[in-house]
Structures are given as structure tokens and as C-alpha cells.
Amino acid sequence: RRVAVSAGSSGMKRSRPEKSRAGVDGSGSKRRHGEASVAAAAKSDRRRREKQSSSAPRNALRSAQLEKGELLLFRKFGHGPRLFARYYRAQGLAPPREFAETRAAFATSLPITFRVHVSRPDAREFAARLLAPLHEKGLIAPIPWMPPGEGWRAVDAVADAKQAGHHRKLHPEVAAAVALGVGAGVCARQEAVSMLPVL
């Protein structure tokens, strides 16, 4: 601080400290610099969010492709069945023989089945005109524990030999008959286990 001294009759007087203009200008400059920094940070953050939003679909697609590739490798090298067997064998839920039989049952392909609504008045005609010829050709077979003529499964020796998860297709004649039955409300595609009555 600079102190101005003046001589007078009453003695020496001290004037007020002069305000530094440089100090005022310095605080204003700091304030402007801070505002500019905040604006720059907001702009950078906005650009980053825009970039992330534009790359989100690509990242999702890449992630899905990786997951599909990992799943294919997982199935190809049989990791799933091995982990399943190791885990449940360690639980001791069943004797070794029963556990092996259960694993074999789980590994079989699920058959394609359909159910005839026998309460319908036209169900008998549908069975005689469309299902009976398919049964004679060996393309369909009755489900043994269902009432006669009510539950059917498609017969496909090649597909039956495949492991679980194999994509199966109906024989064209069976597919045509089932489509007609479903359209007329006479039958419906249904898993065999869902045909079990509620106890």
C-alpha cells in the first residue's frame, strides 16, 4: 500500500489507501476465465454424450455379436452339459445311474406334438379324413398315455436322433393337416407335458 503524507498546520495526515485498479481488473478477469472454463466443460460434456448416443447402436450390435459367438463356442465344445453334470452331481440329488438316465433324457430332442379337441363336433371327421392317412403312412403316432385320438406327435426318425435344441420341421403333409385343424379350431399345437391334466 502506498501512503500519501501531506504537511499541514495540524500535523501529518494519512490519506486512505488507494484501491488498486489492477486488483479490480484481476478479479474480473478471473471471473470471466472461470465462466469460460465452465462453458467449455459443458460443451465437452455435451459432445461426449452425443458421441456416446451415436455409438450406442454399434456397441449394442457388437455386444450381441460377441454374445452369439461365445454361445456358439459354448455349445460347440459342450461346456454347458459338462457344467450341468458337474454341478448337479455334486448336489447328490440322485444315485449315479439315475443321474445318467436323467441326463440322457434331457439330451433328447423334444418332439412336435398337437392335440385334437375331441369335444368339437367336427373332430371325428377331421381325424378320419386327415389324421388317419398320416398315421397309416407313419408320419404321426398317438401319444400312448393320452385318450385315444386326442394327442399326437410327429414321427421323424432323423430329428428324433438329434440332440435337444435341434430345430425341427414338420413334414409338409403333417404341417398342412395341422394348419387346417388349427384354422378350423379342431386342433392346436401343444407340448405333450402341457396335455397332462391338472391334479
Side-chain angles (χ1 to χ4, degrees):
R1 294 178 179 178
R2 291 185 305 167
V3 180
V5 179
S6 60
S9 58
S10 58
M12 299 176 63
K13 292 182 179 180
R14 290 186 179 183
S15 62
R16 287 183 177 180
E18 297 179 0
K19 292 184 178 179
S20 173
R21 185 172 183 80
V24 174
D25 292 344
S27 63
S29 175
K30 288 180 181 179
R31 185 166 56 251
R32 287 194 298 272
H33 179 70
E35 292 173 354
S37 299
V38 171
K43 187 175 181 180
S44 175
D45 187 57
R46 185 170 62 252
R47 286 180 178 175
R48 181 178 57 81
R49 288 198 302 268
E50 290 174 355
K51 185 177 180 180
Q52 287 178 349
S53 64
S54 63
S55 62
R58 291 196 300 272
N59 293 338
L61 179 60
R62 189 179 299 113
S63 177
Q65 290 172 343
L66 287 174
E67 289 177 1
K68 185 176 181 181
E70 292 172 357
L71 181 61
L72 289 174
L73 289 175
F74 195 82
R75 290 180 175 176
K76 181 177 180 180
F77 295 109
H79 294 313
R82 282 201 296 271
L83 292 175
F84 177 89
R86 184 184 302 173
Y87 176 80
Y88 283 103
R89 190 180 291 116
Q91 308 307 311
L93 301 176
R97 180 177 177 179
E98 291 183 12
F99 182 74
E101 293 174 352
T102 303
R103 284 191 62 198
F106 287 163
T108 56
S109 180
L110 191 67
I112 296 177
T113 55
F114 59 96
R115 183 175 192 166
V116 177
H117 304 311
V118 292
S119 59
R120 296 267 309 197
D122 49 352
R124 188 183 298 275
E125 180 186 358
F126 170 75
R129 187 166 59 88
L130 295 174
L131 299 186
L134 296 175
H135 187 204
E136 292 174 2
K137 293 179 182 179
L139 297 176
I140 62 173
I143 297 175
W145 45 266
M146 283 289 288
E150 188 169 347
W152 297 85
R153 70 177 183 89
V155 177
D156 187 344
V158 176
D160 289 342
K162 296 286 185 179
Q163 290 186 347
H166 172 69
H167 181 67
R168 306 182 65 147
K169 284 187 176 181
L170 280 171
H171 188 279
E173 293 184 42
V174 180
V178 172
L180 285 172
V182 171
V186 183
C187 74
R189 286 279 298 271
Q190 189 178 24
E191 289 188 17
V193 67
S194 299
M195 300 181 192
L196 290 169
V198 179
L199 300 178

